[in-house]
Amino acid sequence: MSRIASIYICQSCGAQTRQFFGRCPNCGDWNSIIEQSKSSLHSKRKERGNDSLEKPTVKLSEPIASLEEKVVNRLTSGYDEFDRVLGGGLVPGSIVLVGGDPGIGKSTLLLQSATAIALKHSVLYVSAEESAQQVRLRWQRLKGSESNLQLLAETKVDLVLQELETLKPAVAVIDSIQALHDPNLSGAPGSIGQVRECAAALQQLAKQQNISLLLVGHVTKDGMLAGPKVLEHLVDVVLTFEGDRYASHRLLRSMKNRYGATHELGIFEMQGNGLVEVKNPSEIFLNRKAASGIATIVACEGNRSLAVDVQALISATSYTSPKRTATGVETNRLHQILAVLEKQMGLALSRHDCYLALAGGLAVEEPAADLGIAAAVVSSYRDLILPEGTILIGEIGLGGQLRPVGQIQARLQEAERLGFQRAVLPKGSGVYQLKKKVNLDIMEASSINEALIMALGSDPGRDESKEPI
Ligand code: TYD
Ligand code: MG
């Protein structure tokens, strides 16, 4: 019987089929399937895996309790913010994928970090996208200090592997994994097959030689890391670098971390000569000037609490259906809060446009922001100013009731540190205990109505003209 010479791989989802389809039977994408020669894939894998195929003569497994505990000496990336997101530094032999939109600053971050690591360890920076001269210019712009940083501008994975074997660096940066390619495989650089094979080859070598790999990955149109899931399974840590391209703040988050907590957040600012750490991030997300339509919340990102201003603008609509836009908050969440305010507090919000934004380009997904959002909306609608120094934390249920949220003590401690004096919390947050630990005037409310009366110091009232819904 003849062997199948080709397989067909979907470039969107990575599904493999034995025949060509115009539309991927797995993900439904059109024209995403390309042919790949199976023999080349096969022979490559075989070649790389040969040394690990020696016949075992003794028992290979051992009892878990008898394993010797190994002390992991993490390497510092040179930046506390980066280290925090990694879970305390770079673990030798680990593979870290850094994803993000083009132009957000991935190359800058990694070149800066590589330069800093190279002060103590050997580091190889592989630039597959820019020429050596371009990287050198950037390095100069970043005021890169003299360090043991080796640069290789190369796109062929075999040469990169060869150089890694020769140099045996402690850390290697690959910028980017999509730009590398293996000429023995069909498919353009960046295609699923290429990305998978290149990453697998690098991973094998990195684990063998205990090299920490930092891979740059591109993000596709819909915000996924390109080579969906293929890379995420392979690597130990997945970080995303994000931020508003028109603002200078950049957020580094961990999405997956085999060596630390996920959803950790590191904050940087892009300046004329590179990225600078932001040590006191709450300051950039706060306005500090009371005005109508502004409320302050304390959001939690991983182990970190951040005070953030929520800004709302409510104005009478001139459209048939009112306009609602939300930046940094999910639009559906805003719709839900507006509906609760309309129903429970009798406000005629359906005749008003609503624009909502979080300061500083931060995105908050957790429901703990609900009460702050509601307060900002009511404050703008009624043109009432929330007193300075007040924070609002709580989830709003569909019936207008408030629900307690997690990590409340950490949030209040951050508020206290920043000089806030009052906090409005949902009933059941354990205020008795909290009052012993933080020096804030804490008020408890069981419903949204009650919370707003406490925060504003007056009843925002119902709309008389509004018929009951
Ligand atoms: P870059 O690291 O090339 O982004 P990526 O690798 O994610 O595509 O960063 C590009 C942007 O950063 C570019 O628009 C210019 C800006 N930048 C600065 O503002 N200051 C700097 O010192 C550097 C090096 C870049
Ligand atoms: Mg780049």
Side-chain angles (χ1 to χ4, degrees):
M1 235 173 81
S2 68
R3 286 173 55 104
I4 301 160
S6 296
I7 53 168
Y8 297 85
I9 300 181
C10 171
Q11 299 304 293
S12 301
C13 69
Q16 297 187 5
T17 60
R18 290 189 174 193
Q19 73 180 85
F20 180 79
F21 290 97
R23 185 181 187 196
C24 170
N26 187 40
C27 68
D29 266 14
W30 288 95
N31 301 327
S32 62
I33 292 189
I34 64 156
E35 183 180 359
Q36 185 137 10
S37 129
K38 197 172 178 184
S39 51
S40 65
L41 252 173
H42 209 71
S43 59
K44 274 269 143 194
R45 284 228 176 110
K46 238 175 154 180
E47 205 177 286
R48 283 179 195 132
N50 258 351
D51 27 336
S52 59
L53 286 178
E54 281 163 30
K55 279 241 165 79
T57 50
V58 285
K59 191 175 76 164
L60 295 172
S61 59
E62 48 189 314
I64 189 162
S66 71
L67 277 176
E68 224 178 285
E69 197 184 338
K70 243 197 202 162
V71 182
V72 179
N73 288 323
R74 294 180 183 241
L75 310 177
T76 166
S77 63
Y79 294 88
D80 291 344
E81 295 291 301
F82 198 173
D83 285 347
R84 178 216 316 278
V85 180
L86 288 169
L90 202 53
V91 174
S94 65
I95 301 175
V96 179
L97 175 66
V98 182
D101 287 331
I104 206 75
K106 301 178 295 296
S107 305
T108 310
L109 175 73
L110 292 181
L111 185 58
Q112 275 182 260
S113 184
T115 312
I117 300 171
L119 290 172
K120 287 200 188 135
H121 307 273
S122 58
V123 182
L124 173 66
Y125 188 99
V126 178
S127 174
E129 291 188 349
E130 291 167 273
S131 70
Q133 270 314 311
Q134 279 173 307
V135 181
R136 156 97 212 179
L137 272 177
R138 183 196 296 261
W139 181 78
Q140 240 167 359
R141 182 174 174 193
L142 299 173
K143 304 211 165 36
S145 43
E146 204 59 51
S147 68
N148 184 21
L149 178 63
Q150 297 284 324
L151 176 64
L152 171 68
E154 185 51 69
T155 57
K156 290 193 198 75
V157 73
D158 286 350
L159 294 178
V160 173
L161 289 170
Q162 188 189 318
E163 186 65 8
L164 283 172
E165 261 177 303
T166 322
L167 277 182
K168 294 193 177 48
V171 177
V173 177
I174 311 288
D175 186 3
S176 67
I177 186 72
Q178 274 89 7
L180 279 193
H181 81 287
D182 184 340
N184 299 321
L185 294 178
S186 57
S191 63
I192 293 256
Q194 288 280 3
V195 169
R196 179 171 32 208
E197 288 302 310
C198 292
L202 286 166
Q203 183 218 27
Q204 213 170 42
L205 185 71
K207 295 278 175 203
Q208 264 171 21
Q209 312 264 356
N210 214 24
I211 302 171
S212 298
L213 269 188
L214 292 160
L215 307 178
V216 173
H218 286 279
V219 166
T220 55
K221 277 188 288 223
D222 42 355
M224 293 278 291
L225 277 167
K229 305 296 166 203
V230 173
L231 283 178
E232 290 187 30
H233 286 307
L234 203 72
V235 301
D236 301 308
V237 182
V238 179
L239 307 180
T240 59
F241 203 39
E242 51 195 64
D244 187 347
R245 199 139 21 120
Y246 304 103
S248 58
H249 297 110
R250 302 283 184 267
L251 309 175
L252 185 67
R253 283 175 204 274
S254 65
M255 312 305 282
K256 160 182 170 177
N257 193 346
R258 289 183 178 149
Y259 308 111
T262 47
H263 296 288
E264 277 298 349
L265 179 70
I267 304 180
F268 294 86
E269 186 175 349
M270 182 64 96
Q271 294 187 352
N273 46 12
L275 288 157
V276 179
E277 294 174 280
V278 178
K279 297 274 187 194
N280 197 1
S282 285
E283 311 258 295
I284 55 174
F285 301 121
L286 284 180
N287 188 341
R288 292 266 172 207
K289 234 179 131 207
S292 77
I294 296 183
T296 310
I297 60 168
V298 184
C300 270
E301 294 280 350
N303 289 326
R304 182 174 227 185
S305 309
L306 295 167
V308 192
D309 274 343
V310 183
Q311 304 170 3
L313 176 65
I314 310 290
S315 59
T317 188
S318 47
Y319 304 97
T320 37
S321 59
K323 220 172 156 50
R324 273 108 170 72
T325 64
T327 314
V329 175
E330 223 198 316
T331 319
N332 283 339
R333 195 96 212 150
L334 174 64
H335 283 151
Q336 187 177 317
I337 295 168
L338 292 177
V340 173
L341 286 174
E342 178 136 13
K343 175 97 180 163
Q344 304 298 331
M345 299 193 54
L347 306 181
L349 289 166
S350 52
R351 288 180 233 140
H352 289 79
D353 293 334
C354 174
Y355 306 93
L356 191 93
L358 291 193
L362 193 76
V364 174
E365 283 172 14
E366 50 167 7
D370 288 359
L371 183 57
I373 296 172
V377 167
V378 174
S379 159
S380 171
Y381 181 72
R382 288 282 183 231
D383 208 10
L384 291 170
I385 297 176
L386 284 153
E388 239 171 281
T390 308
I391 55 153
L392 298 111
I393 304 167
E395 178 179 350
I396 299 176
L398 291 181
Q401 71 278 30
L402 290 187
R403 295 205 196 103
V405 299
Q407 289 167 281
I408 195 78
Q409 189 182 328
R411 296 179 205 253
L412 294 185
Q413 277 165 344
E414 173 71 3
E416 186 186 1
R417 190 181 70 78
L418 293 165
F420 284 86
Q421 296 105 39
R422 269 174 312 281
V424 182
L425 305 182
K427 226 178 203 122
S429 303
V431 172
Y432 181 72
Q433 290 296 327
L434 288 172
K435 278 190 173 158
K436 289 189 201 157
K437 294 188 177 131
V438 285
N439 186 20
L440 285 177
D441 181 9
I442 304 175
M443 295 177 272
E444 279 184 299
S446 55
S447 70
I448 180 166
N449 224 334
E450 226 178 286
L452 291 177
I453 293 172
M454 281 176 185
L456 291 163
S458 62
D459 189 348
R462 301 180 74 84
D463 284 345
E464 295 308 327
S465 60
K466 190 161 170 24
E467 316 84 56
I469 309 168

